Amino acid sequence: MGDSYGSIKEWREKEIQNHMSDAHSLNVFHDRVMRTVFERSLQIVKEEKGDPPSPYAWFVMGSAGRFEQGAVSDQDHGMVYEKSGAAEEEYFLALGKELSDGLHAAGYPYCEGKVMSSNPLWCKSAEGYEGQLDKWMEDVSFESMRYLQIFIDARTMAGDDKLLVRLKRRVDNHQKKTPKLLQRFLDTIMHIKPSVGPLGQIFTESSGHYQGCLNIKQAAFLPYVNAVRILAIKEGIMESSTLERINSLSRQGEYKNELEIYKDSFLRLLQFRMSNLKRIKEYDDVHYLPVQDLTRAEKKELKTILKNGKKLHHYVQVIIEKGVHS
């Protein structure tokens, strides 16, 4: 593997085939690729601007932050640096732009919502982030809640993790003083489109390119991911992956028995997606499962996963609403 972004992409496309049967192995490989791109980006910026002028942390969010990437994933990342100042801002924005372009060249599409370190919204001093987080937590808009949910899934990939932990602790301290923040998180994820009909039929796309397919991200992943994230926020859990969050929650007595069945379903869901990866040609494909290609046993298991996702969502809703109104 050479040190250009193009050669990193070639290595990625060749090597990723060896990691397509196991979700953990695939995500370890993605981390390796992204860190390699980061190191190359930092080297380029250092050659032009010198060493970083402040301690910093580069973090990933979205499916990368949760350690749940499929074969193809777009970018979701940010940068926080310790010192505030014009020189620091200029340096780290330049690094963020180089990094975003480098990841794109290595095969990770740009984020359509611009959740990238090249965007000043996601590249700030620790003090700047604290002010931004406070605004999001005090604002009642859907967009502010969405940004907070994205941030909560952050995981440090390079640099000083203490900077990111400091910001996450700020959210934790705020929600402990303001329980209604949890209700606002809940309000943003309340609508779940029905995925299994009263006669046991799985609702698939009725027309278009993905006719006959289940949108596995919307129907299956998000009910688990969103519900477990809210419980993690409630209990001050810093882990970002859904499985790690379930494991941490399960160590607390009141969740242990309830969450075990949902953990099994989520693990099986990850495996369903892995078995679907071999047909993936472009980014959107990863979200669609061709139900007609499944065996009868697989369809039965998928229905259980979908139903359990809805049950988990309801379980969390009851817990949060009980806490807010008690």
Side-chain angles (χ1 to χ4, degrees):
M1 177 181 60
D3 63 357
S4 73
Y5 298 129
S7 62
I8 294 172
K9 182 180 183 181
E10 288 175 16
W11 163 66
R12 174 184 176 275
E13 289 177 345
K14 180 181 175 185
E15 183 70 19
I16 200 169
Q17 302 305 321
N18 299 324
H19 303 275
M20 296 290 262
S21 59
D22 176 72
H24 180 82
S25 174
L26 178 61
N27 278 272
V28 168
F29 178 68
H30 277 305
D31 278 10
R32 191 175 159 205
V33 176
M34 290 187 292
R35 285 196 178 103
T36 302
V37 171
F38 176 82
E39 286 161 11
R40 176 61 185 142
S41 300
L42 182 59
Q43 180 186 353
I44 289 170
V45 174
K46 274 183 175 181
E47 287 169 1
E48 184 185 338
K49 299 179 179 295
D51 289 337
S54 163
Y56 65 90
W58 177 53
F59 53 89
V60 290
M61 298 172 282
S63 60
R66 295 191 307 273
F67 209 65
E68 292 163 8
Q69 289 188 88
V72 187
S73 179
D74 67 349
Q75 299 182 40
D76 286 287
H77 53 90
M79 191 94 65
V80 56
Y81 43 93
E82 191 172 74
K83 297 178 188 172
S84 299
E88 287 79 13
E89 182 180 340
E90 192 268 338
Y91 186 97
F92 287 108
L93 272 173
L95 176 56
K97 184 174 188 318
E98 181 63 39
L99 179 54
S100 301
D101 292 343
L103 286 166
H104 180 74
Y108 295 90
Y110 292 120
C111 173
E112 289 184 7
K114 296 185 170 49
V115 181
M116 298 179 289
S117 306
S118 53
N119 181 351
L121 186 66
W122 296 101
C123 185
K124 293 180 184 296
S125 67
E127 186 182 348
Y129 262 113
E130 285 172 344
Q132 183 68 74
L133 288 169
D134 288 349
K135 281 182 188 173
W136 286 342
M137 287 186 286
E138 288 157 13
D139 187 20
V140 295
S141 72
F142 176 83
E143 184 179 59
S144 290
M145 286 294 98
R146 189 174 69 85
Y147 283 151
L148 269 176
Q149 286 182 87
I150 291 169
F151 174 77
I152 289 296
D153 288 348
R155 175 171 64 94
T156 300
M157 286 288 281
D160 187 351
D161 185 49
K162 290 196 292 291
L163 288 167
L164 181 61
V165 171
R166 169 181 158 184
L167 297 177
K168 286 194 169 188
R169 290 287 178 211
R170 193 173 189 89
V171 178
D172 182 44
N173 290 334
H174 185 97
Q175 76 85 15
K176 280 185 168 63
K177 296 174 195 165
T178 317
K180 286 192 175 174
L181 182 62
L182 290 172
Q183 181 65 53
R184 282 166 50 213
F185 274 120
L186 186 67
D187 291 343
T188 64
I189 65 156
M190 281 301 290
H191 180 67
I192 295 184
K193 193 175 172 183
S195 54
V196 181
L199 301 178
Q201 72 275 37
I202 297 173
F203 292 136
T204 59
E205 300 295 306
S206 58
S207 60
H209 184 59
Y210 296 106
Q211 186 174 352
C213 293
L214 175 75
N215 186 328
I216 198 169
K217 178 181 179 181
Q218 292 293 333
F221 269 95
L222 289 184
Y224 286 91
V225 167
N226 288 339
V228 171
R229 182 194 294 115
I230 290 179
L231 281 187
I233 294 169
K234 178 181 183 293
E235 302 301 340
I237 287 166
M238 294 291 115
E239 284 91 351
S240 58
S241 99
T242 303
L243 284 174
E244 286 178 352
R245 285 167 171 168
I246 290 174
N247 288 337
S248 289
L249 288 162
S250 294
R251 286 193 280 274
Q252 303 184 23
E254 69 267 35
Y255 297 117
K256 182 172 174 54
N257 294 333
E258 190 71 36
L259 290 183
E260 201 61 40
I261 185 172
Y262 301 125
K263 178 182 176 180
D264 291 343
S265 285
F266 189 73
L267 281 167
R268 186 63 191 124
L269 177 58
L270 288 170
Q271 208 50 47
F272 255 111
R273 187 176 65 179
M274 291 305 298
S275 63
N276 191 41
L277 289 183
K278 293 178 176 60
R279 52 172 287 280
I280 303 302
K281 293 186 176 65
E282 53 190 81
Y283 174 58
D284 284 343
D285 289 352
V286 77
H287 301 313
Y288 290 90
L289 183 69
V291 173
Q292 66 271 22
D293 294 348
L294 302 178
T295 65
R296 177 182 271 181
E298 286 172 331
K299 286 178 184 173
K300 183 179 178 183
E301 189 163 22
L302 180 59
K303 287 176 196 174
T304 300
I305 290 169
L306 294 169
K307 288 175 181 176
N308 280 344
K310 194 167 182 181
K311 285 179 188 173
L312 172 61
H313 198 273
H314 180 69
Y315 168 71
V316 171
Q317 181 184 344
V318 170
I319 287 175
I320 299 304
E321 291 182 344
K322 183 180 175 185
V324 169
H325 299 303
S326 61

